[in-house]
Amino acid sequence: MKTILLLTFLLVFSGEAVAQQPKESNWDGWRPLLGKWTGEGGGQPGQASGGGFSFDFDLQGKVLVRRNYSEYPATGGKPASRHDDLMVIYQEPGKGTRAVYFDNEGHIIHYSVSFSEDKRTITLLSDVVPTAPRFRFIYNLLKDGSLGIEFDIAPPGKPDSFSKYVEGKARRQ
């Protein structure tokens, strides 16, 4: 009897693991990003001394979760710091692929998502809020297997006047 219960338990939970990988085509463009990545980068706000992120399906394949962190060394009298953020990517009926971003600084950003025709570039564009900056996050799958990353900001009142804020690359772990 214990053997039957154990086999039933294993079959149920192994089936759940398979269900975590949704088969719907609307997730196909994200599949190359699945897994853990180590970042390399730089930009105006300063270069991180370490960082990385991961993309994993959650809620039985209904959402994709990106967890990200960047570590910054102490500089100019400022102590070392760490930035953590979480992004949940989901399919919203009638609106397509959307994402919501949260970080340890209290930011919450809502994004629409689009793919280039060749599915190698993913662009997340924040919703327009008249009194706030607008953000654009771009992932570009490079031929060498790395991932190009760009984060742009447009000032309040000029939602399409983007300037590059940070750019970098990531390599799969």
Side-chain angles (χ1 to χ4, degrees):
M1 183 66 165
K2 287 182 184 178
T3 304
I4 292 171
L5 286 174
L6 179 59
L7 286 173
T8 302
F9 178 80
L10 290 174
L11 287 172
V12 167
F13 283 98
S14 65
E16 283 187 21
V18 170
Q20 295 297 322
Q21 294 280 333
K23 292 176 178 59
E24 299 90 30
S25 63
N26 54 4
W27 290 114
D28 287 349
W30 293 99
R31 291 189 194 287
L33 276 65
L34 292 176
K36 294 184 179 185
W37 297 80
T38 301
E40 310 165 355
Q44 294 298 325
Q47 186 165 347
S49 60
F53 56 92
S54 65
F55 280 94
D56 295 298
F57 286 109
D58 206 332
L59 299 178
Q60 298 180 18
K62 297 298 182 195
V63 299
L64 183 63
V65 177
R66 185 200 71 172
R67 296 178 193 283
N68 176 69
Y69 76 96
S70 300
E71 296 172 333
Y72 296 91
T75 58
K78 292 174 91 177
S81 63
R82 178 176 160 126
H83 172 87
D84 291 288
D85 62 68
L86 172 79
M87 183 182 297
V88 178
I89 302 149
Y90 58 97
Q91 306 297 320
E92 185 169 342
K95 293 189 177 183
T97 305
R98 302 273 302 157
V100 61
Y101 165 99
F102 307 91
D103 70 18
N104 61 322
E105 299 170 28
H107 298 110
I108 300 171
I109 305 170
H110 297 269
Y111 288 100
S112 60
V113 178
S114 63
F115 291 86
S116 63
E117 197 170 307
D118 66 1
K119 301 287 188 201
R120 297 191 65 80
T121 302
I122 302 169
T123 302
L124 293 96
L125 187 62
S126 72
D127 297 345
V128 175
V129 177
T131 58
R134 190 173 191 201
F135 305 101
R136 180 172 61 196
F137 204 109
I138 302 169
Y139 288 109
N140 187 16
L141 294 164
L142 304 175
K143 292 184 184 207
D144 68 358
S146 65
L147 188 62
I149 302 166
E150 182 177 327
F151 182 66
D152 305 326
I153 300 177
K158 296 182 179 181
D160 296 319
S161 298
F162 288 101
S163 296
K164 190 178 304 178
Y165 187 66
V166 177
E167 68 180 336
K169 281 175 89 173
R171 300 208 179 272
R172 188 177 300 282
Q173 287 184 8

